[in-house]
Amino acid sequence: MIIRTAELETVCGVTSRFPAHALPEFAFTGRSNVGKSSLINALMNRKSLARTSSQPGKTQTVNFYKVNDAFYYVDLPGYGYAKVSKEAKEKWGKMIERYLRHSPVLRCVFLLVDIRHEPTDNDKRMYDWIVANGYHPVIIATKLDKIKRSQISKQVAVVREGLGLTKDGVLIPFSAETKQGREEIWTLIEQLMPASP
């Protein structure tokens, strides 16, 4: 995929109304510090359009990135480790739920998990919840460069089993460092785009 333009167009807080448009959306969710912003930057071919941080919980809003004037990447707040109040976490949860339940143009939800570890309880809950809302999440197993090549198939099996992925469930190992996996994600997005009239 050739990225001609990419811009952060809309930032929605807890009380904001989500933008109304006809372009398809691809949403990204995952626990804090799993590498969501790094992945989105890699997919937009930009170094720092999505703000990355070593501090968990940096993304606290729903961010809409318009790409090629053709579709949106939607960055959802991370769940799990962020040092925020329970009340704030509940508000984020409601915001994510509101988005997933009501976006009429959402084509796919990408759930990011760390390939180095068994999925957390939060990961499993999120996976089950996305499925319960009628989506088949695509799993992106991040931080691929942090493990040896010989460990990849074992860790992929650990993630698949931990989430209870079906045989036809899609899992793509990804590295923000080497960009391995980026082409597969782009291909999937292109396949999920609505056919041109």
Side-chain angles (χ1 to χ4, degrees):
M1 182 185 291
I2 296 166
I3 306 298
R4 294 182 301 278
T5 59
E7 60 174 331
L8 175 58
E9 187 177 88
T10 311
V11 175
C12 293
V14 172
T15 57
S16 309
R17 293 179 75 166
F18 294 127
H21 53 244
L23 296 179
E25 295 172 352
F26 298 89
F28 297 85
T29 187
R31 69 177 171 79
S32 300
N33 244 20
V34 75
K36 217 155 26 71
S37 298
S38 297
L39 168 72
I40 291 171
N41 282 328
L43 290 177
M44 292 189 295
N45 245 351
R46 300 292 187 272
K47 282 226 168 9
S48 56
L49 193 51
R51 285 183 311 172
T52 59
S53 170
S54 57
Q55 182 187 356
K58 193 71 180 165
T59 306
Q60 301 183 12
T61 49
V62 177
N63 299 333
F64 291 79
Y65 296 91
K66 192 175 193 181
V67 182
N68 289 349
D69 292 324
F71 61 92
Y72 287 89
Y73 290 143
V74 183
D75 186 7
L76 301 171
Y79 55 80
Y81 290 143
K83 287 183 182 167
V84 293
S85 67
K86 188 165 177 253
E87 183 189 10
K89 282 183 187 171
E90 281 172 5
K91 282 181 180 169
W92 293 358
K94 287 199 173 79
M95 183 164 62
I96 294 171
E97 186 170 352
R98 188 163 56 92
Y99 169 72
L100 290 179
R101 287 221 166 126
H102 300 296
S103 171
V105 287
L106 178 57
R107 308 293 290 198
C108 182
V109 181
F110 292 92
L111 174 60
L112 280 65
V113 296
D114 190 328
I115 197 167
R116 298 172 298 178
H117 310 294
E118 194 176 330
T120 65
D121 287 344
N122 278 330
D123 291 330
K124 293 173 196 171
R125 270 199 294 275
M126 194 66 179
Y127 175 79
D128 291 343
W129 188 79
I130 294 166
V131 170
N133 274 280
Y135 294 98
H136 298 287
V138 171
I139 309 305
I140 299 180
T142 62
K143 305 185 190 280
L144 179 61
D145 51 284
K146 308 280 190 207
I147 63 172
K148 295 187 177 115
R149 193 174 286 267
S150 60
Q151 296 174 297
I152 295 173
S153 58
K154 173 178 169 276
Q155 289 308 116
V156 163
V158 165
V159 171
R160 292 188 79 95
E161 191 177 329
L163 291 174
L165 261 190
T166 57
K167 273 201 178 76
D168 54 354
V170 180
L171 185 150
I172 301 172
F174 174 79
S175 165
E177 291 291 315
T178 66
K179 308 296 184 281
Q180 187 177 336
R182 181 171 65 178
E183 295 292 334
E184 290 97 312
I185 298 167
W186 275 343
T187 299
L188 192 63
I189 287 170
E190 285 171 339
Q191 288 168 352
L192 292 168
M193 292 279 276
S196 301

